[in-house]
Amino acid sequence: MKQRITPEQLQELTSEQQEALRKWWKPEEWELIYVTNKGLNTFGQAMRITGINPACDSLPMRLYVDVGGWCLKSEVLPLLSIGQCIELLNNKTNEQSFGYNDSGCFWTIFMGNRGIGNMVEGSKGRQFSSYELVDALWIAVKELLQKPL
């Protein structure tokens, strides 16, 4: 089972969606990231965060990566795991419920009118399907990132 999204999937995001993802994301040590700043010699590489220098006063948050250098949070994006995708959907679907179904062949993610832990029967909602759970979640996350967070 695929555990996280790929750098290619992050490239599907618009600049507005990238900023919305960065706004939601709280970096943690050992997390996998993708370098988006073309001015860095590590552009286009996936790497692991090995240290974090939090933002203070006017200085932005800096991340130390496993190739031995610092970069800004604004220069990278997280390679979201299944858990991070679920967390983002749960945190940001204020007016919707979120659920999933494993039909044996593929995963389907449901987002629709809020029910008690489930979709309200007969409600109008959206479905996102893929053979990999993280890919179905990613489709839902991309749509959610189009809306103001």
Side-chain angles (χ1 to χ4, degrees):
M1 175 182 273
K2 183 177 163 189
Q3 297 296 310
R4 61 184 63 252
I5 64 168
T6 65
E8 292 77 22
Q9 287 173 302
L10 281 174
Q11 293 170 17
E12 298 168 359
L13 297 178
T14 65
S15 58
E16 292 82 14
Q17 288 172 307
Q18 289 180 12
E19 287 309 310
L21 179 57
R22 283 188 187 102
K23 182 178 176 182
W24 170 83
W25 176 49
K26 307 289 185 249
E28 295 183 17
E29 284 189 25
W30 306 112
E31 189 170 359
L32 287 173
I33 57 172
Y34 174 73
V35 179
T36 59
N37 183 341
K38 293 180 181 178
L40 297 177
N41 62 353
T42 54
F43 168 71
Q45 294 183 30
M47 52 192 65
R48 194 169 295 281
I49 298 172
T50 56
I52 299 174
N53 188 353
C56 67
D57 297 325
S58 63
L59 299 173
M61 176 182 285
R62 294 187 315 150
L63 309 171
Y64 194 77
V65 295
D66 59 0
V67 295
W70 289 97
C71 59
L72 300 176
K73 179 182 176 185
S74 61
E75 298 174 323
V76 301
L77 288 169
L79 290 169
L80 298 174
S81 66
I82 291 170
Q84 287 173 308
C85 288
I86 291 171
E87 182 181 347
L88 194 153
L89 292 169
N90 277 333
N91 288 345
K92 300 301 176 190
T93 53
N94 295 333
E95 299 171 8
Q96 301 176 337
S97 65
F98 155 73
Y100 66 89
N101 179 33
D102 173 13
S103 67
C105 296
F106 58 92
W107 292 86
T108 302
I109 306 302
F110 303 98
M111 288 181 7
N113 295 336
R114 183 176 291 283
I116 302 175
N118 293 311
M119 292 280 289
V120 175
E121 190 167 327
S123 68
K124 294 184 179 171
R126 305 265 301 140
Q127 296 184 18
F128 312 94
S129 297
S130 182
Y131 292 107
E132 293 284 352
L133 174 58
V134 74
D135 292 340
L137 290 165
W138 176 243
I139 297 167
V141 164
K142 281 193 309 184
E143 180 164 303
L144 188 65
L145 290 173
Q146 291 175 356
K147 302 172 185 173
L149 298 179

